[in-house]
Amino acid sequence: MAGTQGKPLPKKLGIKAGHRVCLLGAPRTIVRRLESDEVRIAEDLRHPLIDVAVLFVDRVADLERRFADIAGRLHPSGGFWVAWPKKKRGADITEEVVRRIALAAGMVDNKICTVGDSMAIRLVLRGSIRDAMAYRAEPPPVSRRVRRSASAGRVVRSGAGSSLHRARARSTK
């Protein structure tokens, strides 16, 4: 690929400091090239949101089986790389097959490169879906605790002003 020959592998894959990276089925040489102090690399899907996922497969059946699980754990703005061997007998994966599976899952491809002896294609969520999935990246809102008074059947909110509520409740008895 033009323009990617001299680039280091983390830069090719879009890996930045602080990213959570998941390598699935990766050769040891690739894992060693990506390891650094600034990047957390896992070889399973324990993290709830993954910034960059790289899946190495050589059969379409393996890709179909794992695709939904990986895409479901991907950060809305994250990238999912599918890599397959360039020249291996029995490998039935092509760019077109990966694109069709991705399109059915609401993803599109936006980059292609080589990773060692493999071809890789980067998949991302479509823009409209990415906006809808943005809630996954934000922490859940903190709700105010609500305490119910057993005797009065009224709702008493805890927090600011709760001592005033208790004083009023005592004075009306």
Side-chain angles (χ1 to χ4, degrees), residues 55-68 70 80 82 92-93 101:
L55 174 65
F56 287 82
V57 292
D58 57 355
R59 310 287 315 159
V60 172
D62 296 336
L63 176 61
E64 289 174 337
R65 182 174 47 86
R66 302 197 70 187
F67 196 94
I70 297 167
F80 175 21
V82 177
D92 58 351
I93 294 183
I101 292 170

Side-chain angles (χ1 to χ4, degrees), residues 81-165:
W81 287 90
V82 177
W84 65 94
K86 283 190 237 178
K87 299 175 184 176
K88 183 176 179 184
R89 289 186 179 205
D92 58 351
I93 294 183
T94 63
E95 287 179 36
E96 186 60 32
V97 170
V98 174
R99 283 188 182 109
R100 286 183 181 185
I101 292 170
L103 189 59
M107 299 182 88
V108 293
D109 66 300
N110 68 351
K111 192 173 181 182
I112 298 172
C113 73
T114 58
V115 178
D117 294 334
S118 301
M119 284 294 300
I121 188 168
R122 182 177 190 248
L123 307 170
V124 294
L125 288 171
R126 283 188 285 174
S128 59
I129 296 174
R130 188 178 313 136
D131 295 340
M133 299 299 282
Y135 73 91
R136 292 162 92 197
E138 298 174 11
V142 178
S143 63
R144 297 189 79 120
R145 286 182 24 200
V146 175
R147 188 177 55 204
R148 299 202 180 269
S149 173
S151 61
R154 297 183 304 194
V155 173
V156 179
R157 296 194 186 277
S158 62
S162 62
S163 59
L164 180 61
H165 289 289

Side-chain angles (χ1 to χ4, degrees), residues 13-26:
L13 298 178
I15 298 172
K16 297 177 182 165
H19 273 180
R20 281 179 238 121
V21 179
C22 183
L23 301 176
L24 301 164

Side-chain angles (χ1 to χ4, degrees), residues 12-81:
K12 272 187 188 182
L13 298 178
I15 298 172
K16 297 177 182 165
H19 273 180
R20 281 179 238 121
V21 179
C22 183
L23 301 176
L24 301 164
R28 283 278 146 221
T29 56
I30 301 298
V31 175
R32 276 182 288 203
R33 285 175 59 189
L34 290 175
E35 286 178 336
S36 72
D37 296 333
E38 301 162 350
V39 178
R40 291 177 279 180
I41 295 179
E43 294 186 26
D44 57 11
L45 293 170
R46 284 179 290 162
H47 296 291
L49 290 179
I50 299 168
D51 296 305
V52 178
V54 185
L55 174 65
F56 287 82
V57 292
D58 57 355
R59 310 287 315 159
V60 172
D62 296 336
L63 176 61
E64 289 174 337
R65 182 174 47 86
R66 302 197 70 187
F67 196 94
D69 191 32
I70 297 167
R73 295 186 186 271
L74 195 63
H75 190 279
S77 61
F80 175 21
W81 287 90

